């Protein structure tokens, strides 16, 4: 029977082609994901191990303003005395101290080189030989004077800088010019992430990032034969309370775990979309084998007649599926390896530098690829194999095709109805629960999707019947025949439409939620921001106080309010707080008061969000004890309560009250209002006032809206790209169904040609059939996707002010049009084949 199965596969290789393609694409996604993440993980782990190869112990400090046990303010980092004591420990060979922070380099056009968050600066720390072991200089040397810097090779190349050139460098303070002393190569993670690295002379770096004479971290190398653990124990005894120490091996292991954790998120996301693609592929595979079994009724009945048992017939069909699964998995695995290579190259093209390393093809990736491909194919072929086993020997003497009846659909429809009702009830219940109902909605969505898929054959008749009159009126005989053919075999139509329905359910749900969130955030932005401009650092860090003062002096500025980010303890309850300018905050932000007035912020009062005040029993006029970040306390009055919004914290306090208690005030953004509003001249005035600093972004209201809405659009585009695989497989399903249907109906098409249906109308009939099936699946998907989007929206409604479900009718219309276009494209080959059939040969076909 296996030889029979193999011959059958070879005899029907053209008809099994689409099945092979579907499995191949899904397997390529799975294997590509695993090989890609394994390769990246191996490369980064090797880079990490290389970075810490010579490190015996690493010491790092963390910033704290709290006094130590003796009541004294702790040192800001590792001081000279501590470093000298560490250097005197037995077995220590060298101690290299570092201090670092943000440093952005301007290109010749004044734009920032790199992505902001990974643009860093640190000190050049030469040993006795004048070299810093962490950096290999290809040109020039490290900075030894206050006015010099060195750049990594990638940054120097992008900025077209050569040794001796003047380089504009921005830290958190004003932009300054330095002379380029050298260019180096490095394995620094920030540079590999697409950022930049600037080396300063040590005293300059300390002044920029900490305090003169102090460092944030240190790496220790050991004498030959010395024990890293022994050195660690001795060093730990010398460190202040705000410092930690680890061996180089511990650091490498920790970084390897972090790399694995970060890659696992990408891995899981890509595998989830691969699972969706394979789930869609099940319908294509099952449909293919169902049609093959129907077309081979006589052949299988003859096998039964000559002695084959039901089990043997079933095994024969499953053996065919096994061969198809193995072939598709092998091809898909090879494509997946190519996909992994392409993804690695794509990362480099987007500016992220992937460390050099071999392509890693693990046994797990191979086993997963072949396991998934073969198992999915066998699962999809199981039901058709059972049907094949039930074909009686007497069928060999009857018509090739069994007469379809509605009786076999009764059980299916009953099960589908129950599953759909359970799923719908779960979705509604989850929506009613609110923010804690996501898991309930997820379970309900699964049951609903499965139930609707089971019910699709039943739904196909009434839904397609609605468009039948339109087909008759617009396309005549071809339209009528297309409509009748679409419902001739409800199972086949349902299986074909299901693949598109799954894809459109996900696409419609994501789009509806995304558009709704986008509009809610856009409304929130426009309703709450009165300022003409928002000033931020490209690094995401806080702005220096010098930038705030420069903005206050800029021509045309009418109001400036920094947004200090801090924490206060109010009557023993911790609360986030925004330090603002009391006189200007109401001119740049729309903060709606519930009681009291924000003008009281100028009179040693604070304001709190109304929901916070209600939960803690506070009201306007109450006096509370406020503990500042430096642990000092004060008695302040609650001067106002206000409606919470996303642009201010749960408490508002004047910067005049807050700043004296902040060692380093953190200002993520500054809001500015200007005379004349948003104009090119006003924007340029702000840029000039900030010293044309490449690391500072001047955002107008539209930029602010794009900043928040752009993240949603980017996420949607990524989702569309990943779901494209499932939609491609769905298109293959339409092509496959039509092609096999044309083969199955050769005699019928020959008769139609004989009685006067010309080639043009035959093509039209097949195309319309494809369009009807595709749009039918799309309509089901759009309906279910919209329902799911409503339910998901109910779980996030309370956390997003102004949330209201928005149905993106324009995009839904585009989805339906694209579904119709998919039908037209999918029908090109089958329609051409049908129109080219020789009518006499077709009539004689059995």
């Amino acid at each position: 029977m296996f030889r029979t199965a193999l011959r059958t596969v070879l005899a029907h290789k053209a008809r099994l082609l689409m099945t092979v393609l579907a499995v191949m694409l899904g397997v390529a996604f799975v294997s590509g994901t695993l090989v890609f993440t394994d390769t990246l993980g191996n490369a980064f782990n090797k880079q990490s191990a290389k970075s810490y190869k010579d490190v015996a112990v690493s010491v790092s400090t963390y910033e704290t303003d709290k006094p130590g046990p003796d009541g004294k303010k702790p040192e800001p980092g590792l001081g000279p005395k501590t470093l000298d004591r560490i250097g005197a420990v037995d077995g220590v060979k060298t101690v290299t101290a570092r201090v670092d922070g943000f440093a952005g380099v301007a290109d010749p056009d004044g734009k920032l080189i790199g992505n902001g968050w990974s643009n860093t600066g640190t000190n050049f720390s030469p040993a006795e030989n004048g070299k810093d072991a962490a950096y290999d200089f290809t040109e020039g040397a490290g900075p030894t004077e206050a006015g010099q810097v060195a750049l990594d090779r990638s940054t120097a190349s992008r900025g077209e800088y050569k040794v001796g050139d003047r380089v504009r460098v921005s830290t958190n303070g004003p932009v300054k010019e330095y002379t380029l002393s050298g260019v180096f190569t490095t394995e620094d993670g920030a540079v590999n992430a697409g950022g930049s690295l600037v080396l300063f002379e040590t005293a300059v770096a300390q002044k920029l990032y900490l305090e003169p004479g102090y460092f944030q971290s240190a790496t220790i190398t050991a004498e030959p034969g010395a024990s890293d653990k022994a050195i660690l124990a001795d060093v730990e005894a010398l460190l202040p309370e705000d410092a930690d120490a680890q061996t180089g091996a511990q650091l490498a292991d920790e970084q390897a775990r972090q790399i694995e954790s970060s890659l696992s998120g990408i891995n899981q996301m890509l595998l989830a979309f691969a699972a969706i693609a394979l789930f869609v592929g099940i319908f294509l595979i099952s449909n293919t084998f169902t049609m093959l079994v129907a077309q081979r009724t006589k052949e299988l009945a003859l096998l039964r007649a000559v002695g084959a048992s039901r089990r043997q017939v079933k095994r024969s069909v499953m053996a065919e599926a096994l061969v198809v699964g193995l072939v598709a998995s092998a091809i898909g695995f090879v494509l997946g390896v190519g996909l992994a290579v392409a993804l690695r190259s794509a990362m480099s093209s987007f500016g992220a530098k992937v460390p050099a390393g071999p392509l890693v093809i693990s046994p797990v990736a191979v086993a997963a690829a072949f396991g998934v491909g073969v198992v999915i194919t066998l699962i999809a072929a199981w039901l058709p194999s059972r049907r094949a086993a039930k074909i009686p020997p007497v069928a060999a003497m009857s018509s090739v095709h069994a007469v379809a009846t509605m009786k076999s659909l009764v059980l299916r429809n009953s099960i589908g109805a129950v599953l759909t009702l359970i799923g719908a009830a779960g979705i509604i219940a989850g929506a009613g629960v609110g923010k804690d109902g996501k898991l309930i909605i997820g379970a309900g969505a699964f049951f609903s999707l499965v139930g609707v898929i089971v019910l699709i054959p039943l739904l196909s008749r009434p839904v397609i019947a609605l468009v039948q009159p339109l087909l008759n009126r617009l396309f005549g005989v071809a339209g009528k025949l297309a409509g009748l053919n679409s419902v001739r075999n409800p199972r086949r139509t349902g299986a074909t439409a299901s693949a598109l329905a799954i894809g459109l359910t996900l696409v419609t749900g994501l789009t509806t939620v995304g558009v709704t969130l986008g509009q809610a955030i856009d409304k929130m932005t426009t309703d709450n921001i009165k300022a003409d401009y928002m000033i931020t650092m490209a690094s995401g860090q806080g702005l220096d106080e010098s930038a705030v003062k420069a903005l206050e002096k800029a021509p045309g500025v009418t109001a400036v309010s920094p947004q200090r980010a801090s924490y206060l303890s109010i009557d023993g309850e911790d609360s986030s707080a925004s330090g603002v300018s009391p006189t200007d905050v109401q001119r740049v932000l729309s903060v709606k008061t519930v009681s009291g007035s924000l003008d009281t912020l100028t009179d040693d009062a604070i304001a709190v969000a109304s929901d916070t005040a209600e939960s803690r029993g506070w009201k306007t006029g109450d006096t509370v004890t406020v503990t500042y970040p430096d642990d000092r306390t004060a008695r302040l009055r609650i001067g106002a309560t206000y409606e919470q919004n996303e642009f201010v914290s749960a408490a508002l306090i004047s910067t005049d009250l807050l700043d004296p208690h902040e060692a380093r005030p953190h200002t993520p953004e500054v809001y500015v209002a200007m005379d004349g509003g948003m104009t090119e001249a006003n924007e340029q005035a702000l840029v000039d006032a900030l010293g044309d600093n490449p690391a500072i972004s001047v955002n107008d209201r539209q930029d602010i809206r794009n900043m928040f809405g752009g993240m949603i659009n980017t996420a949607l585009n990524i989702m569309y790209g990943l779901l494209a695989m499932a939609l491609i497989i769905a298109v293959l399903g339409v092509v496959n169904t039509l092609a096999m249907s044309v083969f199955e109906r050769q005699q019928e098409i020959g008769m139609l040609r004989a009685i006067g249906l010309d080639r043009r109308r035959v093509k039209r009939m097949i195309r319309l059939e494809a369009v009807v099936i595709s749009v039918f699946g799309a309509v089901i998907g759009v309906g279910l996707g919209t329902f799911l989007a409503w339910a998901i929206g109910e779980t996030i409604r309370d956390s997003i002010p102004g949330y209201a479900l928005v149905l993106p009718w324009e995009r839904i219309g585009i989805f339906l049009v694209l579904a119709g276009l998919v039908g037209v494209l999918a029908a090109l080959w089958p329609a051409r084949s049908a129109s080219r059939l020789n009518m006499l040969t077709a009539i004689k076909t059995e």
Side-chain angles (χ1 to χ4, degrees):
M1 292 302 291
F2 183 77
R3 287 198 300 270
T4 302
L6 187 59
R7 287 171 183 165
T8 302
V9 170
L10 294 174
H12 300 100
K13 52 184 177 291
R15 282 179 260 175
L16 289 168
L17 176 62
M18 298 301 173
T19 298
V20 171
L21 286 173
V23 178
M24 180 186 74
L25 290 173
V27 169
F29 214 150
V30 172
S31 58
T33 297
L34 294 175
V35 172
F36 173 66
T37 51
D38 286 345
T39 299
L40 249 61
N42 178 69
F44 281 117
N45 285 337
K46 283 188 175 180
Q47 181 194 51
S48 175
K50 181 181 177 181
S51 300
Y52 295 111
K53 182 181 66 172
D54 298 324
V55 176
V57 174
S58 175
V59 179
S60 58
T61 62
Y62 51 91
E63 189 175 349
T64 177
D65 292 327
K66 293 185 177 180
D70 57 359
K72 294 181 180 180
K73 183 180 178 181
E75 292 185 321
L78 299 172
K81 293 182 180 179
T82 302
L83 293 171
D84 288 342
R85 287 196 292 266
I86 292 173
V89 169
D90 288 342
V92 171
K93 182 179 180 180
T94 63
V95 179
T96 303
R98 303 283 184 195
V99 59
D100 54 55
F102 170 76
V105 179
D107 66 13
D109 296 325
K111 303 298 182 182
L112 182 69
I113 297 174
N115 47 33
W117 58 268
S118 60
N119 291 342
T120 58
T122 189
N123 62 297
F124 176 65
S125 183
E128 292 181 0
N129 60 3
K131 296 181 180 181
D132 190 325
Y135 311 106
D136 295 322
F137 279 82
T138 58
E139 299 176 44
T144 56
E145 299 177 6
Q148 296 179 334
V149 294
L151 298 178
D152 67 274
R153 186 166 59 184
S154 175
T155 302
S157 176
R158 284 183 284 177
E160 301 177 0
Y161 289 120
K162 297 180 180 178
V163 173
D165 288 350
R166 299 290 287 173
V167 181
R168 297 178 72 243
V169 180
S170 169
T171 55
N172 285 356
V175 63
K176 294 182 180 179
E177 280 197 354
Y178 298 85
T179 299
L180 183 63
S181 67
V183 176
F184 58 88
T185 59
T186 177
E187 294 295 328
D188 187 273
V191 176
N192 286 325
S196 61
L197 180 60
V198 182
L199 297 184
F200 297 94
E201 189 268 333
T202 295
V204 173
Q206 290 175 328
K207 185 177 179 181
L208 286 172
Y209 300 127
L210 203 58
E211 287 186 19
Y214 288 92
F215 298 89
Q216 294 161 329
S217 62
T219 55
I220 301 165
T221 61
E223 296 283 0
S227 168
D228 292 353
K229 291 184 178 179
I231 294 174
L232 175 65
D234 291 340
V235 167
E236 283 182 324
L238 303 174
L239 297 179
E241 289 189 2
D242 59 342
D244 293 320
Q246 289 178 291
T247 64
Q250 289 174 330
L251 274 174
D253 291 341
E254 182 181 331
Q255 194 166 88
R257 286 193 295 270
Q258 291 174 349
I259 291 169
E260 183 179 352
S261 176
S262 62
L263 290 176
S264 68
I266 300 173
N267 198 17
Q268 290 170 7
M269 181 182 70
L270 293 175
L271 288 177
F273 283 94
I276 293 169
L278 288 166
F279 183 57
V280 171
I282 287 176
F283 295 95
L284 191 161
I285 300 164
S286 181
N287 213 14
T288 300
F289 278 97
T290 298
M291 295 174 72
L292 282 175
V293 167
Q295 293 170 11
R296 292 161 49 204
T297 301
K298 233 179 184 182
E299 174 190 329
L300 295 172
L302 281 171
L303 288 174
R304 292 294 313 283
V306 296
S309 66
R310 284 190 174 186
R311 184 175 294 180
Q312 285 178 311
V313 171
K314 183 178 179 180
R315 286 178 180 172
S316 174
V317 176
M318 293 298 283
E320 294 173 30
L322 177 63
V323 172
V324 170
L326 286 171
V327 171
S329 297
I331 300 172
F333 182 75
V334 173
L335 285 177
V337 173
L339 178 63
V341 174
L343 285 172
R344 184 171 175 172
S345 300
M347 286 186 68
S348 299
S349 65
F350 282 112
K353 294 182 180 178
V354 180
L359 195 68
V360 177
I361 302 176
S362 67
V364 172
V366 177
F370 279 87
V372 165
V374 172
V375 169
I376 289 294
T377 309
L378 291 176
I379 289 173
W382 179 74
L383 200 57
S385 71
R386 288 190 69 230
R387 294 197 190 108
K390 292 180 180 180
I391 296 174
V394 72
M397 295 175 288
S398 62
S399 172
V400 174
H401 310 298
V403 178
T405 66
M406 291 295 293
K407 291 182 180 179
S408 60
L409 293 172
V410 173
L411 179 61
R412 176 185 180 126
N413 294 338
S414 300
I415 294 172
V418 171
L419 289 174
T420 303
L421 288 173
I422 291 173
I427 292 171
I428 294 171
V433 170
K435 64 179 181 179
D436 297 323
K438 293 184 178 68
L439 289 177
I440 301 173
I441 291 174
F446 174 76
F447 282 107
S448 292
L449 191 58
V450 173
V452 168
I453 288 169
V454 173
L455 279 177
I456 274 184
L458 177 66
L459 296 172
S460 64
R461 289 183 178 274
V463 173
I464 294 176
L466 291 174
V467 298
Q468 185 70 66
L470 183 64
L471 292 173
N472 296 349
R473 188 176 303 112
L474 295 178
F475 304 104
V477 174
K480 183 175 183 179
L481 290 172
L484 294 173
N485 288 333
S486 299
V487 294
R488 171 188 287 182
N489 190 327
R491 278 199 186 94
R492 182 187 305 162
T493 298
T496 305
S498 293
L500 278 169
I502 294 168
L504 265 297
T505 295
L506 297 172
V507 169
T508 303
L510 288 170
T511 301
T512 303
V513 171
V515 169
T516 301
L517 282 175
Q519 292 205 15
I521 292 173
D522 189 67
K523 184 176 185 299
M524 180 176 67
T525 303
T526 54
D527 286 352
N528 292 319
I529 295 181
K530 295 180 182 178
D532 298 309
Y533 296 97
M534 180 177 75
I535 315 300
T536 59
M537 286 288 291
S539 62
Q541 298 176 341
L543 287 151
D544 189 75
E545 185 61 23
S546 62
V548 179
K549 292 178 179 178
L551 290 169
E552 291 173 345
K553 296 176 182 177
V557 170
T558 58
V560 174
S561 180
Q563 186 84 321
R564 299 269 199 270
S566 187
Y567 277 89
L568 301 174
S569 176
I570 307 175
D571 275 354
E573 298 280 351
D574 290 337
S575 175
S576 60
S578 295
V580 298
S581 171
T583 56
D584 289 348
V585 64
Q586 296 180 76
R587 300 168 65 183
V588 295
L589 293 175
S590 178
V591 183
K592 299 176 182 177
T593 55
V594 175
S595 61
S597 171
L598 294 181
D599 292 336
T600 58
L601 291 177
T602 58
D603 303 321
D604 291 351
I606 62 170
V608 295
S610 56
D611 53 352
T612 301
E614 184 178 351
S615 66
R616 299 180 183 179
W618 299 331
K619 60 182 183 297
T620 302
D622 286 353
T623 301
V624 293
T625 300
V626 174
T627 303
Y628 292 107
D630 61 355
D631 288 339
R632 295 183 181 180
T633 61
R635 296 285 290 172
L636 301 178
R637 181 169 54 88
I638 295 179
T641 61
Y642 56 89
E643 293 181 9
Q644 179 67 60
N645 67 51
E646 297 300 313
F647 296 92
V648 294
S649 299
L652 291 178
I653 186 170
S654 168
T655 52
D656 293 336
L657 290 177
L658 180 64
D659 286 357
H661 304 283
E662 294 269 15
R664 293 185 179 181
H666 179 59
T667 309
E669 58 264 338
V670 177
Y671 294 99
V672 179
M674 300 194 73
D675 186 17
M678 295 177 292
T679 65
E680 289 186 12
N682 279 343
E683 183 172 339
Q684 189 59 49
L686 295 179
V687 170
D688 292 341
L690 294 166
D692 196 16
N693 193 322
I696 298 180
S697 301
V698 178
N699 309 284
D700 61 21
R701 289 183 192 173
Q702 188 59 49
D703 293 329
I704 299 170
R705 293 167 68 182
N706 294 341
M707 187 185 302
F708 292 100
M711 293 185 290
I712 294 174
N713 290 330
T714 300
L716 277 178
N717 290 333
I718 292 172
M719 296 298 179
Y720 289 157
L722 293 172
L723 285 172
M725 185 71 73
L727 294 175
I728 289 171
I729 293 175
V731 173
L732 293 177
V734 178
V735 175
N736 200 38
T737 298
L738 289 174
M740 297 185 73
S741 178
V742 167
F743 178 84
E744 182 181 290
R745 288 151 46 194
Q746 285 188 69
Q747 192 175 51
E748 173 191 317
I749 293 171
M751 289 294 295
L752 290 172
R753 293 276 288 111
I755 62 175
L757 196 68
D758 58 23
R759 288 186 174 184
R760 182 172 57 85
R761 284 189 287 181
V762 169
K763 285 184 180 181
R764 181 179 296 172
M765 176 185 73
I766 302 297
R767 283 198 295 265
L768 288 173
E769 185 178 340
V771 169
V772 167
I773 293 173
S774 299
V775 174
F776 166 62
V779 168
I780 297 295
V782 166
L784 188 55
T786 302
F787 180 45
L788 288 175
W790 164 79
I792 293 170
E794 292 300 302
T795 66
I796 58 177
R797 175 186 292 275
D798 293 339
S799 59
I800 300 177
Y803 181 94
L805 183 67
V806 177
L807 293 180
W809 293 111
E810 295 172 356
R811 297 196 190 190
I812 289 174
I814 291 172
F815 295 156
L816 295 176
V817 170
L818 288 176
L821 182 60
V822 162
V824 172
L825 295 176
L828 289 177
W829 174 45
R832 185 172 180 272
S833 300
S835 67
R836 292 167 65 89
L837 285 175
N838 184 293
M839 68 181 71
L840 296 179
T841 304
I843 289 171
K844 290 189 295 181
T845 299
E846 293 188 6

